[in-house]
């Protein structure tokens, strides 16, 4: 396990996530859902010292989803680091983060220690037990304060679905009411719903998988999704209830 943690730290550099800058898109400003001045809540885009792109989502309840790309290619997803964090006087910490990697490195526990300036920046480090960590820097994306739009979300997205079991090509079709269907290259089918959150330009999602050959056959997973409207790209992640695995999706529509 220690070797795997060290391998993960060296490859990921504990670096993250996929580009979200400009993902607010076509929605109107939503002042009623503005981020509290004392919280790290928001959407942040940045980079790490391992040439991966970072997008950090911190929700109003402290739940975080840090998506990360493969090195030097922000269009290919590599995993997500998810957990529950606490904001306190410019310090954001998470002691229960899980790194759900889809590059074959498995699922590992992690901690986050960061400083933030509300609605400006989020910067810090991530460490794994028994392994070294790395630093990251990111800036607040004001698109977080726009209202998520189901009309903008509607469409068919082609891209990748992944879990600790590997990465597969997949297609997801979202209706204007937020109901979606999908199919993976191995024949696995799934259905679900997406609904706008009250705070932030983020969607809550629930996805239910069909039978074999689905890795999560018969299971329902819940998580979040967000839409980069200018680039017509959808990102989503939903961990299993016991957080031993997660499904991740990234795709674009014409």
């Amino acid at each position: 396990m220690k070797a795997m943690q060290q391998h993960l730290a060296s490859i990921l550099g504990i670096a993250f996530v996929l580009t979200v800058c400009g993902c607010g898109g076509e929605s109107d400003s939503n002042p009623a859902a503005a981020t509290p001045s004392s919280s790290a809540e928001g959407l942040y885009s940045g980079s790490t010292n391992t040439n991966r792109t970072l997008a950090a989502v911190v929700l109003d309840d402290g739940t975080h989803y840090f998506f990360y790309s493969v090195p030097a290619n922000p269009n290919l997803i590599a995993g997500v680091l998810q957990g529950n964090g606490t904001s306190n006087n410019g310090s954001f910490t998470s002691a229960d983060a899980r790194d759900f990697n889809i590059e074959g490195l498995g699922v590992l526990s992690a901690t986050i220690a960061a400083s933030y300036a509300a609605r400006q920046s989020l910067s810090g480090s991530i460490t794994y037990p028994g392994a070294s960590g790395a630093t990251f820097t990111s800036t607040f994306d004001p698109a977080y304060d726009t209202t998520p739009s189901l009309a903008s979300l509607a469409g068919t997205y082609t891209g990748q679905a992944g879990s600790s079991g590997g990465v597969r090509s997949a297609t997801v079709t979202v209706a204007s009411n937020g109901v979606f269907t999908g199919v993976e290259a191995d024949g696995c089918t799934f259905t679900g719903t997406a609904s706008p959150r009250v705070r932030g330009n983020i969607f809550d999602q629930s996805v239910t998988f069909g039978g074999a050959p689905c890795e999560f056959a018969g299971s329902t997973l819940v998580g979040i999704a967000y839409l980069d409207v200018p680039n017509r790209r959808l990102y989503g992640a939903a961990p299993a209830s016991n957080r031993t695995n997660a499904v991740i999706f990234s795709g674009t529509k014409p």
Side-chain angles (χ1 to χ4, degrees):
M1 177 61 74
K2 181 176 181 180
M4 179 180 290
Q5 291 169 329
Q6 292 171 334
H7 183 49
L8 182 60
S10 63
I11 291 180
L12 296 183
I14 308 171
F16 314 34
V17 243
L18 294 168
T19 290
V20 298
C21 184
C23 71
E26 302 162 2
S27 303
D28 293 332
S29 178
N30 186 6
T35 309
S37 59
S38 61
S39 172
E41 178 191 350
L43 180 64
Y44 300 85
S45 58
S47 61
T48 69
N49 61 348
T50 55
N51 203 24
R52 297 177 188 254
T53 308
L54 165 69
V57 178
V58 180
L59 301 177
D60 58 294
D61 63 0
T63 304
H64 61 78
Y65 289 80
F66 287 2
F67 299 87
Y68 54 86
S69 72
V70 302
N73 191 342
N75 295 320
L76 292 179
I77 195 166
V80 64
L81 191 118
Q82 186 268 348
N84 297 288
T86 301
S87 300
N88 183 22
N89 295 324
S91 175
F92 178 78
T93 57
S94 175
D96 70 343
R98 293 283 179 89
D99 188 340
F100 300 101
N101 178 265
I102 62 174
E103 296 177 302
L105 299 176
V107 180
L108 293 177
S109 298
T111 59
I112 300 172
S115 60
Y116 67 90
R119 302 178 57 79
Q120 296 182 48
S121 63
L122 177 68
S123 302
S125 63
I126 300 162
T127 57
Y128 301 114
S132 59
T135 61
F136 67 91
T137 59
S138 64
T139 57
F140 180 80
D141 187 341
Y144 182 78
D145 289 332
T146 58
T147 304
S149 166
L150 286 175
S152 295
L153 188 65
T156 297
Y157 301 83
T158 301
Q160 296 177 301
S163 65
S164 62
V167 181
R168 303 160 293 279
S169 60
T171 300
V172 174
T173 299
V174 187
S176 58
N177 62 356
V179 174
F180 62 84
T181 60
V183 60
E184 300 178 5
D186 61 2
C188 171
T189 60
F190 53 90
T191 61
T193 58
S195 58
R197 289 182 60 82
V198 174
R199 295 178 60 85
N201 189 13
I202 304 293
F203 298 89
D204 288 323
Q205 69 159 330
S206 173
V207 54
T208 300
F209 291 87
C214 293
E215 182 177 3
F216 301 100
S219 298
T220 297
L221 279 61
V222 296
I224 66 162
Y226 68 86
L227 178 65
D228 177 351
V229 174
N231 293 308
R232 307 175 72 82
R233 181 173 291 275
L234 176 67
Y235 301 102
S241 59
N242 60 8
R243 302 180 70 215
T244 59
N245 206 345
V247 62
I248 306 167
F249 176 79
S250 172
T252 58
K253 63 180 176 179

